[in-house]
Amino acid sequence: MLFTVLQAYSQQNGDSVLYVPITDTLKPADTVRSQSDINAIIEYSATDSAIFDISDDKLLLYNEAELKYKEYDLKAARIILFRESSTMEAYGVPDTVTAGKYIGQPVFMEGSKRYDAFKLRYNFTTRKGNIDMGSTEIEGGFYLGEKIKKVDENVYFIQNGRYTTCDKAEPDYYFGSPKLKIIQGEKVIAEPVFLHIDGVPIFALPFGIFPNHSGRSSGLIPPAYGEDPTYGRYLSHLGYFWAINDYIDIAAQGNYYTKGRIDLSSRFRYVLRYKLSGTIDVGGSRIRLGEDTDNDKIFSDEWRIGVYHNQSIDPTTNLTANVNFYSSKNYFTTSTNNLEDLLRQNALSNVTLSKFWEGTPNSVSLNYSRDQNLTTGEIRQTIPSVTFVRSQTFPFRGKNTSLIDLKWYESISYGYNSQLLYIDQKLLVNPSLIDGNFTKNSRGGLRQALNISAPIKISEFSFSPFFNYSEVWYNKSVEKSFSSSDSTVITNELTGFRSFRYFSTGVSLNTRLIGLFNTNIFGIKGFRHTLTPAITYSFQPDFSEPQWNAWGSYTNQFGQQVKYSFFEREVFGGAPLGEQQALNFSVGNIFEMKVKDTDSTDSKFQLLNLNAGIAYNFVADSLNFSELGLNYRTQIGDFLNIGGGASFNLYKYVDGVGRINKFLWNEEKRIAQLTNFNISLSTTLQGGELNPVTNDSTLQEEELSQESTQESEYTGIYDDRPPDFSIPWSVTLNYNYSINKSIPSVISKFSNISGSLNFNLTRNWKFTFSTGYDIFLKEFSTPYVTIYRDLHCWEMSFNWVPTGLYRGFKFELRIKAPQLQDIKVTKQTNYRGVF
């Protein structure tokens, strides 16, 4: 029905009352008794009746009543609308079946805001109201109170109120206060505050001010209290978070231990949408455990600096940075139980500025990288590396060149790249001795490379000549001489510009052959074999000859000429040694199968991918053939992947001498000898699913009921009820095996199996287990167990490393809601003991 500002009149029992059956329509009359602030159509309905009281200018709705006006929607057993004052009231009615229970209690929607109440009164014009025994949801939190008073658009007062993020009728926890003031989108003020868990008060505060909006807000970071067996009692992560503006914020935290330790950390963040974002993390730890005169004292000062930055300067220019500096590995061993951090061996840093020119093949990048070995203290860094690349370019093609019918010269292409590299290293003088004795090494150079190819299509063959040229510039080099007085080699480092060049050229020929075998057996429509043979001839001069100015030589005590590279210490190395005229043979094989899915569709499966290759060097004085290399890959269905490789040598091996220039076939009637073999298998199996249920609280109640029933009603193996295997689960297994027989008398093997198991014991219990086992060493790698329990409004996690140096566990029980993430109970251990 529609209720308008117009009125009609009738007489009933001496009063001016209009009685409207639900099947009728309220018709407008010709006069209006009074003015009202109601300026839009009101829609209303009720299963019993709707009565308009003309004398009091009000509308009464009975039984399952609903009233809609603009963005307001009210449902209740009884609704009264006072038209002149623009006020409405709503309440429930006693249940005739259950004493003390009310049905049809008001549910009021103000836009997206919902209010549940025992009794409600609200004014459309002032947007103020009162709620008795009501509840509402604001910003993901539920507010309940004996009385809720809305004094303006964003301010509420609640008497004997409760706040929780738990949506159960009887919440698992709540914060209670006799007086609450809610400023929507800003904060909640309470005086005093009591935390109740399962209805039991746990602790109290004289007052509390809490944020009441999504996103960031400035405030104190609450600390945690505990005890460490080494450093004593502590307060951890006490600090302050300052949301400076919409673009930047900063957080500062500290830990204090009673036995001589202080930790400080700070995090600064910034963001400009679509432009840049970044974080700067700084942390330090000062430990003074014991006295200066104690033999077992522990004094250390550890620190870290981390910088992350990502910036899009313009559509073609980007800057990324991920920089980490640590004082030493002790920073982690004294400050964290995180297994990934404890096992960390290197601190890697990288900063890259990249630029490309749209519509051209040109790009340039500027890079800084740093590798810090946290165990030895060695540092290797490039400052900087500048790279320019011109990708494959076809100089004889025009804008209107057709790619379908190319002339032979239009396929000629070239590519160019150059790199300026400077390295700075801090290395141990004796790598086998970690004694803090380092030496500095700084070097730089420029390398340029030009690649030219001219592929030609001849029938079904592709014929491709190529030429590769490189030029390297250095400012340092070495010269060596032999001292006959003490039979030592003297190395002198020279400073000054020197350069060298090297190149290679050749031609390749390849084609593709396809074999088909059709069949209609067991739904298999056919097999396909694709064969891709290739032959490549390459030539490279001997750049150790004097005319190339890249190698030198000296005469040793035996009268032998010993060659050395002038640039053996430099960043790009020296020119290649020895002439090469090599013929490379390779062949690729792909075996596929086609099966019939439906009458109109087919599916293809790759059965095996097998590749082989071998090379022959015409100018080598012996051992002209390289090793024969194989690699393979296959997949069995969707659950098993197999891959690996092998290499074989054609020549005989003699202990103490090595490979000699005699074929195994001539000596031992064997074609080749296995030198390396590796295989890896991996599989993932999964299954099970949960029956869809919509209510989480119902899930938990059903689960607890099922667990109780299983304990009390177990009937043994003769129970007629079938077992439930529908729980989600997944298993991942990996197996790796390798053997090296390059020296037949010295064989090295490796065999490892690893896996992980994930499953839901019930809908809310999740288990994860992962480990590995070295078959030859008969040792387990670090096993890791995770148990997670969804407790509806809470969640529990248990992480356990049962063996190894970093064995220990971490147990945590916390509130799920992110705005209350600091309310938790944590218990953990590490190699120092309980933490």
Side-chain angles (χ1 to χ4, degrees), residues 120-140:
L120 179 143
R121 182 177 178 87
Y122 189 82
N123 187 285
F124 292 130
T125 305
T126 64
R127 302 175 72 93
K128 298 179 180 179
N130 292 285
I131 298 176
D132 291 349
M133 293 299 293
S135 66
T136 183
E137 179 181 359
I138 303 174
E139 298 288 346

Side-chain angles (χ1 to χ4, degrees), residues 59 199 220 229 261 323 353 669 694 721 770 790 809:
L59 173 69
L220 289 172
R261 174 175 175 173
V323 180
L353 174 66
K669 300 304 179 185
T694 57
R721 293 175 298 178
S770 62
D790 187 339
F809 71 86

Side-chain angles (χ1 to χ4, degrees), residues 172-176 193-205 794 823 825:
D172 294 337
Y173 77 93
Y174 65 86
F175 294 90
V193 182
F194 302 91
L195 173 62
H196 293 74
I197 298 178
D198 203 19
V200 179
I202 301 301
F203 71 86
L205 295 173
W794 296 74
I823 301 178
V825 177

Side-chain angles (χ1 to χ4, degrees), residues 149-325:
K149 182 177 182 180
K150 183 180 180 184
V151 297
D152 66 26
E153 182 66 22
N154 296 311
V155 179
Y156 301 79
F157 288 96
I158 300 179
Q159 178 181 334
N160 293 330
R162 297 189 301 178
Y163 167 75
T164 183
T165 58
C166 185
D167 59 358
K168 295 170 66 174
E170 292 295 331
D172 294 337
Y173 77 93
Y174 65 86
F175 294 90
S177 177
K179 293 186 290 183
L180 278 175
K181 180 180 179 180
I182 302 173
I183 304 175
Q184 188 174 333
E186 187 175 341
K187 57 189 172 185
V188 177
I189 304 171
E191 180 186 358
V193 182
F194 302 91
L195 173 62
H196 293 74
I197 298 178
D198 203 19
V200 179
I202 301 301
F203 71 86
L205 295 173
F207 68 92
I209 301 176
F210 310 100
N212 182 35
H213 59 83
S214 58
R216 306 167 307 138
S217 62
S218 301
L220 289 172
I221 301 174
Y225 173 80
E227 184 172 0
D228 183 275
T230 303
Y231 304 114
R233 292 184 175 87
Y234 63 82
L235 282 177
S236 66
H237 59 71
L238 172 64
Y240 188 81
F241 176 79
W242 183 19
I244 301 173
N245 54 40
D246 291 340
Y247 308 104
I248 57 177
D249 60 45
I250 188 170
Q253 293 178 277
N255 305 328
Y256 173 75
Y257 298 80
T258 58
K259 292 185 178 180
R261 174 175 175 173
I262 296 176
D263 301 336
L264 297 175
S265 64
S266 178
R267 184 199 65 196
F268 174 74
R269 298 187 302 178
Y270 54 91
V271 63
L272 185 60
R273 184 173 295 181
Y274 308 125
K275 289 291 185 180
L276 59 88
S277 63
T279 303
I280 301 175
D281 279 315
V282 178
S285 175
R286 183 178 178 85
I287 298 174
R288 295 294 183 267
L289 191 62
E291 301 295 335
D292 290 336
T293 57
D294 295 343
N295 293 328
D296 59 349
K297 66 181 180 181
I298 300 177
F299 284 15
S300 72
D301 295 294
E302 305 295 339
W303 53 267
R304 78 170 291 266
I305 300 174
V307 178
Y308 169 78
H309 180 83
N310 186 20
Q311 181 176 358
S312 178
I313 300 173
D314 60 47
T316 63
T317 309
N318 290 282
L319 174 64
T320 60
N322 189 356
V323 180
N324 297 280
F325 299 98

Side-chain angles (χ1 to χ4, degrees), residues 443 476-480 491-494 498 564-570:
R443 299 184 180 277
K476 291 182 179 180
S477 58
V478 297
E479 283 190 357
K480 295 184 179 182
T491 302
N492 296 316
E493 187 167 273
L494 307 179
R498 294 190 71 168
Y564 68 93
S565 172
F566 295 139
F567 312 104
E568 60 185 22
R569 296 181 177 179
E570 303 309 308

Side-chain angles (χ1 to χ4, degrees), residues 167 691-699 702 763 792:
D167 59 358
N691 296 324
V693 183
T694 57
N695 189 293
D696 287 343
S697 60
T698 304
L699 286 176
E702 288 182 356
R763 182 177 294 272
H792 189 68

